[in-house]
């Protein structure tokens, strides 16, 4: 499922990232790539979201978050 | 003895590189003992920060680079960092990493190592690792990476001597570029590209060039082409599509994932984590829950801004009035004093009307700007600014700009100069340029005196409403111009860059940090914009003085002649007399000078109101205010636009555009108004 549908507090594993090359690369170089675990800190539901990569917090636009496909970890 | 050794020139040239918020600035300050700003907004250190210190018999020259994630340059900051590491003759690059997020932080180091950069890996934030009982086998890591490793806690000033020792020990190391195994198919492709690059004369290792070509790195493609290896670029492209068709994967992605695979295997072998209990929300996360809340986010932001403005302009205004009075007094007394000792009139005028008013024009802005900067530095150092960009992202997308552009727009109401400077934090070049270009239309506080004068005379009963319409007009022109530029200028076209931004943890800023930060920006304003304002003032003084037989700024001086020349141009806008043209011309120095100019030209403050009533109607007064609002902001703004865009082309374009827009809008207002009335 796309990351944007996740709820605050849930944890995911990134499976794939879709979309434009430039930003795909930037996301990967910022540490978001397949296999990595992310947690949603805040998803207000109508705009950008905040995710956690271990101790780092990253704000992601809605469009970006829709392109990151994840698997929910229980 | 030791001094003799130092003078022998044992200088070690060191750069600190790393991801944003890895602790570079903190390390830098700990090493050099301060005099560099401790930033909190990722990517705020655009300026190159250098410092020196001595250790043993060596002199260290340290440069703090802007934060960057990789060797791909996405923003100005990242380009600066990359070029510095790749092109400069450095002895050692210290790769500062946040040990709590090693995967991502090691990515940059691995890129350096592939490039063959002499690096020292600094695992910073070791104190946090210790707290979490995470063990790192640095010996093993050194072996696997082929580069020295030290652990530091910058905030606790721990491990710094080890870092210095390590830099000294490794400064003359022979470097072998790191070889990552990219797997059979990619390795074959690399081999093919490498062969086509044989005997290329480039500072980069051939393997590195080959990998970058396969990754489609634009700068490297340019570099290789420039050296006459067009064919290698084609080979790489061919290999890329062959692999994509043959094996169904995207080469760029695959290469990055292999690199991460390599990093993960190193972490697996060297880092022992005690299984942690479920991570809890940090204090920062809890604050974010409120500050970026769907309903509260914007009101909180609005409140903070409102408070900032109120305080800036009430406090700044007091100082500004004081400075204004002071320079007025200085000009007058110098004139009296010069007269008493028999200095010729022109020299007295040069000093009084030219230099003193010129310097005054610069200084009047200073307190307001410093106070505004102090507030902004505070908000930035707390970590709030990136949250503001987050909160505004959605609304700003609607007008074709990212959330980060909102801050410069808001600052524009105070003064366009710092506002334009604050656009630096926008990473996309195109978004940044657009943000700069529309900023002059936001009505700054210097235009207020003009409105106050005219509305006071012509719109006594509804001054507030008229003022409000002018501010709204400025915003509307800014927004519509953004839309217009975006759809017509090729360089500005394209979708708004999506939001991907690191949010630093909140922290309590230090007084020292905020003051250094504020002063650095204020000094820049004084130095750069100041020289331009000053030069402009002198120029206008010259024009208003010659020929010397005429009275200062009268109809027969050069400026009067120029005024007369331009006056007919303003006939359609309703104010075709030379005094108005001259006032607008003077207003280029600073908008509030428009008021003073009318004062001089119409024979002093007393006669002013009567004269204005004779020349202007309420309608032409309004169209004149529209013109004042929209045409060229002021010399300082032009100067800062040039400095920030580094292009006369854009500077000229926006200056000309604003002149045209000002004239067109003033004319439309006057003509349509005439029909209605
Ligand atoms: N606990 C801990 N915090 C640190 C350490 N080094 C830096 N920090 C904090 O990490 C944040 C980012 O540091 P800064 O130097 O501004 O990072 P830069 O963006 O790389 O220049 C600041 O809040 C620092 O106080 C460290 O060794 N331990």
């Amino acid at each position: 499922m796309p990351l944007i549908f996740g709820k605050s507090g849930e944890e995911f594993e990134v499976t794939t990232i879709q979309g434009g090359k430039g930003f795909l690369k930037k996301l990967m170089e910022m540490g978001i790539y397949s296999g990595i675990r992310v947690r949603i800190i805040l998803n207000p539901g109508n705009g950008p979201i905040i995710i956690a990569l271990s101790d780092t917090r990253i704000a992601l636009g809605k469009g970006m978050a829709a392109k990151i496909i994840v698997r929910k970890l229980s | 003895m030791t001094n003799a050794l130092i003078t022998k020139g044992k200088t070690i040239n060191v750069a600190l590189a790393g991801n944003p918020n890895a602790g570079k600035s903190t390390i830098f300050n700990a090493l050099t003992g301060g005099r560099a700003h401790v930033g909190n907004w990722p990517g705020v250190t655009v300026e190159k920060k250098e410092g020196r210190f001595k250790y043993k018999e060596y002199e260290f020259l340290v440069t703090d680079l802007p934060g960057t994630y990789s060797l791909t340059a996405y923003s100005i900051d990242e380009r600066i960092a990359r070029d510095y590491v790749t092109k400069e003759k450095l002895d050692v690059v210290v790769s500062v990493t946040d040990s709590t997020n090693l995967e991502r932080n090691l990515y940059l180091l691995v890129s350096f190592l592939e490039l063959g950069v002499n690096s020292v890996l600094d695992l910073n934030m070791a104190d946090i690792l210790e707290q979490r009982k995470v063990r790192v086998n640095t010996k093993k890591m050194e072996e696997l990476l082929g580069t020295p490793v030290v652990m530091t806690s910058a905030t606790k000033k721990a491990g710094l001597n080890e870092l210095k020792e390590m830099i000294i020990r490794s400064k003359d190391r022979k470097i072998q570029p790191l070889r990552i195994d990219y797997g059979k198919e990619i390795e074959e492709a690399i081999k093919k590209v490498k062969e086509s690059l044989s005997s290329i004369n480039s500072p980069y290792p051939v393997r590195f060039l080959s990998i970058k070509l396969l990754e489609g790195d634009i700068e490297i493609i340019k570099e290789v082409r420039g050296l006459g290896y067009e064919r290698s670029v084609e080979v790489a492209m061919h290999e890329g599509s062959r692999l994509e068709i043959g094996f169904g994967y995207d080469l760029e992605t695959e290469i990055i994932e292999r690199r991460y695979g390599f990093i993960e295997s190193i972490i697996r072998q060297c880092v022992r984590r005690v299984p942690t209990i479920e991570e809890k929300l940090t204090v920062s996360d809890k604050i974010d829950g409120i500050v970026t809340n769907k309903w509260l986010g914007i009101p909180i932001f609005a409140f903070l801004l409102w408070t900032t403005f109120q305080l800036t302009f009430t406090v700044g205004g007091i100082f500004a009035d004081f400075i204004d009075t002071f320079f007025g007094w200085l000009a007058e007394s110098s004139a009296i004093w010069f007269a008493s000792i028999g200095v010729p009139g022109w020299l007295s005028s040069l000093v009084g009307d030219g230099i003193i008013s010129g310097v005054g024009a610069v200084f009047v802005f200073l307190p307001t700007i410093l106070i505004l900067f102090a507030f902004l530095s505070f908000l930035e150092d707390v970590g709030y600014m990136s949250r503001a960009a987050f909160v505004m992202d959605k609304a700003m997308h609607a007008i074709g700009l990212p959330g980060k552009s909102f801050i410069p727009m808001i600052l524009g109401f105070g003064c366009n100069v710092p506002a334009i400077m604050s656009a630096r934090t926008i990473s996309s070049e195109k978004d940044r340029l657009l943000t700069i270009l529309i900023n002059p239309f936001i009505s700054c506080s210097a235009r207020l005196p003009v409105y106050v004068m005219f509305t006071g005379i012509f719109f006594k009963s509804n001054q507030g409403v008229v003022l409000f319409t002018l501010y709204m007009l400025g915003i509307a022109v800014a927004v519509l111009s953004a839309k217009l530029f975006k759809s017509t200028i090729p360089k500005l076209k394209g979708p708004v860059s999506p939001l991907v931004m690191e949010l630093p943890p909140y922290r309590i800023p230090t007084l020292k940090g905020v003051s250094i930060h504020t002063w650095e920006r204020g000094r820049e304003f004084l130095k750069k914009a100041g020289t331009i304002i000053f030069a402009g003032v002198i120029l206008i003084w010259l024009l208003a003085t010659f020929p010397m037989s005429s009275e200062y700024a009268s109809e027969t001086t050069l400026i009067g002649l120029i005024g007369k020349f331009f006056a007919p141009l303003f006939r359609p806008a309703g104010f075709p007399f030379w005094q108005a043209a001259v006032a607008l011309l003077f207003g280029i120095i600073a908008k509030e000078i428009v008021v003073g100019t009318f004062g001089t030209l119409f024979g002093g403050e007393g006669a002013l109101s009567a004269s204005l009533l004779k020349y202007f109607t309420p309608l032409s007064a309004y169209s004149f205010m529209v013109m004042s609002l929209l045409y060229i902001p002021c010399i300082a703004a032009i100067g800062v636009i040039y400095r920030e865009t580094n292009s006369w082309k854009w500077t000229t374009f926006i200056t000309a555009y604003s002149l045209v827009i000002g004239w067109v809008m003033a004319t439309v207002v006057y003509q349509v108004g005439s029909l209605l009335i």
Side-chain angles (χ1 to χ4, degrees), chain B residues 370-386:
Chain B
L370 285 183
I371 294 167
L372 191 60
F373 279 168
F375 278 113
L376 296 176
S377 300
F378 176 80
L379 288 179
E380 202 165 298
D381 287 0
V382 168
Y384 182 74
M385 281 305 203
S386 47

Side-chain angles (χ1 to χ4, degrees), chain B residues 389-514:
Chain B
F390 178 92
V391 166
M392 287 309 296
D393 195 65
K394 203 176 159 214
M396 290 300 285
H397 267 251
I399 66 168
L401 284 168
K404 279 185 177 176
S405 297
F406 193 67
I407 291 155
M409 280 184 76
I410 288 299
L411 295 185
F413 288 116
C415 175
N416 301 116
V417 172
I420 288 166
M421 271 158 57
S422 72
R424 281 186 187 176
T425 41
I426 299 167
S427 67
S428 147
E429 190 54 33
K430 136 177 105 42
D431 294 340
R432 192 174 87 100
L433 187 57
L434 187 57
T435 307
I436 291 175
L437 292 180
I438 62 167
N439 201 275
F441 299 118
I442 304 294
S443 187
C444 68
S445 59
R447 290 169 230 193
L448 198 56
V450 184
Y451 309 152
V452 170
M453 177 178 76
F454 277 98
T455 52
I457 296 172
F458 294 97
F459 303 97
K460 276 205 189 77
S461 50
N462 39 17
Q463 227 172 334
V465 180
V466 172
L467 260 178
F468 181 74
T469 61
L470 287 164
Y471 275 91
M472 292 317 285
L473 179 67
I475 296 171
V477 170
V479 169
L480 293 175
S481 298
K483 291 224 170 221
L484 177 71
F485 295 164
K486 216 171 158 71
S487 56
T488 53
I489 300 174
K491 204 182 162 201
L492 298 175
K493 269 188 192 157
V496 182
S497 52
L499 180 74
V500 189
M501 178 178 57
E502 207 171 314
L503 301 176
Y506 289 101
R507 63 180 163 143
I508 298 163
T510 61
L511 184 63
K512 192 177 162 207
V514 174

Side-chain angles (χ1 to χ4, degrees), chain B residues 432 640-651:
Chain B
R432 192 174 87 100
V640 85
I641 290 173
Y642 169 66
R643 217 164 70 68
E644 295 297 308
T645 58
N646 201 11
S647 144
W648 281 119
K649 202 183 83 195
W650 287 113
T651 312

Side-chain angles (χ1 to χ4, degrees), chain B residues 26 52 92 161 216 318 363 421 463 487 520 561 615:
Chain B
T26 318
R52 284 173 184 278
V92 177
N161 280 343
I318 298 168
F363 270 88
M421 271 158 57
Q463 227 172 334
S487 56
E520 274 171 357
L561 296 177
Y615 281 94

Side-chain angles (χ1 to χ4, degrees), chain A:
Chain A
M1 72 181 233
L3 184 59
I4 189 74
F5 296 128
K7 291 189 186 65
S8 307
E10 290 179 341
E11 213 168 314
F12 304 90
E13 185 185 301
V14 175
T15 52
T16 44
I17 302 176
Q18 307 172 332
K21 279 208 170 176
F23 274 96
L24 176 81
K25 199 166 166 189
K26 168 140 197 180
L27 273 186
M28 293 184 79
E29 290 179 340
M30 278 183 87
I32 304 169
Y33 56 94
S34 56
I36 206 84
R37 295 173 84 170
V38 298
R39 201 153 46 90
I40 296 185
I41 298 292
L42 198 88
N43 184 355
N46 63 343
I49 66 171
I50 300 177
I51 60 165
L53 277 183
S54 20
D55 281 9
T56 315
R57 300 291 178 266
I58 293 176
L60 280 180
K62 202 175 167 183
M64 289 268 94
K67 287 178 184 158
I68 301 172
I69 310 299
V70 294
R71 188 169 60 83
K72 193 170 169 199
L73 301 170
S74 53

Side-chain angles (χ1 to χ4, degrees), chain B residues 126-143:
Chain B
D127 51 318
I128 303 181
L129 289 192
E130 199 160 315
Q131 253 174 41
R132 296 195 190 152
K133 305 207 167 20
V134 177
R135 286 265 174 69
V136 182
N137 184 344
T138 51
K139 276 270 153 331
K140 180 106 193 215
M141 202 177 253
E142 285 185 345
E143 247 166 63

Side-chain angles (χ1 to χ4, degrees), chain B residues 81-287:
Chain B
R82 191 194 56 185
D83 289 353
Y84 196 74
V85 168
T86 54
K87 306 233 161 85
E88 212 71 15
K89 282 259 164 293
L90 292 166
D91 293 307
V92 177
V93 172
V94 176
S95 176
V96 182
T97 59
D98 170 357
S99 322
T100 63
N101 192 346
L102 271 181
E103 281 84 354
R104 187 184 84 177
N105 276 259
L106 286 182
Y107 189 88
L108 180 65
L109 172 79
V110 164
S111 310
F112 287 158
L113 294 180
E114 283 192 287
L115 182 58
V117 171
N118 188 3
S119 320
V120 167
L121 171 55
D122 171 12
L123 298 175
N124 192 32
M125 313 222 180
D127 51 318
I128 303 181
L129 289 192
E130 199 160 315
Q131 253 174 41
R132 296 195 190 152
K133 305 207 167 20
V134 177
R135 286 265 174 69
V136 182
N137 184 344
T138 51
K139 276 270 153 331
K140 180 106 193 215
M141 202 177 253
E142 285 185 345
E143 247 166 63
L144 294 172
L145 287 167
T147 211
V149 180
V150 282
M151 299 191 78
T152 60
S153 292
T155 41
K156 300 203 159 60
K157 298 202 182 350
L160 294 172
N161 280 343
E162 286 83 345
L163 176 61
K164 293 173 198 169
E165 291 286 345
M166 196 58 100
I167 293 172
I168 295 173
R169 242 183 297 153
S170 55
K171 70 184 168 47
D172 297 316
R173 234 160 40 95
K174 280 273 159 295
I175 306 300
Q176 279 294 325
L178 174 71
R179 260 191 84 109
I180 293 175
D181 184 4
Y182 285 100
K184 193 161 153 285
E185 294 92 27
I186 298 179
E187 284 297 336
E188 267 168 29
I190 294 176
K191 203 166 146 234
K192 287 220 179 88
V193 181
K194 243 174 104 173
E195 276 161 13
S196 77
L197 282 169
S198 66
S199 74
I200 189 170
N201 182 20
S202 157
Y204 303 120
V206 182
R207 183 180 163 84
F208 174 82
L209 284 180
S210 313
I211 296 168
K212 284 289 156 191
L213 286 183
L214 287 169
E215 273 186 87
D217 187 300
I218 292 160
E219 313 263 335
I220 295 293
I221 290 178
K222 263 191 226 151
E223 173 119 8
V224 169
R225 277 202 178 125
L227 290 167
Y229 282 76
E230 178 66 44
R231 212 181 71 78
S232 305
V233 178
E234 276 162 27
V235 172
M237 266 153 70
H238 176 77
E239 287 300 309
S241 50
R242 190 177 62 83
L243 287 177
E244 279 188 49
I245 295 161
F247 299 90
Y249 54 63
D250 176 37
L251 196 52
E252 255 181 87
T253 324
E254 189 68 20
I255 289 178
I256 299 175
E257 283 187 352
R258 291 280 176 167
R259 242 174 241 143
Y260 275 119
F262 171 79
I263 293 166
E264 276 165 4
S265 90
I266 287 184
I267 293 175
R268 227 176 301 124
Q269 294 175 65
C270 308
V271 182
R272 240 195 40 236
R273 292 179 219 244
V274 177
T276 46
I277 342 102
E278 201 192 325
E279 288 168 83
K280 277 196 306 235
L281 287 185
T282 61
V283 178
S284 262
D285 293 334
K286 286 180 189 144
I287 299 176

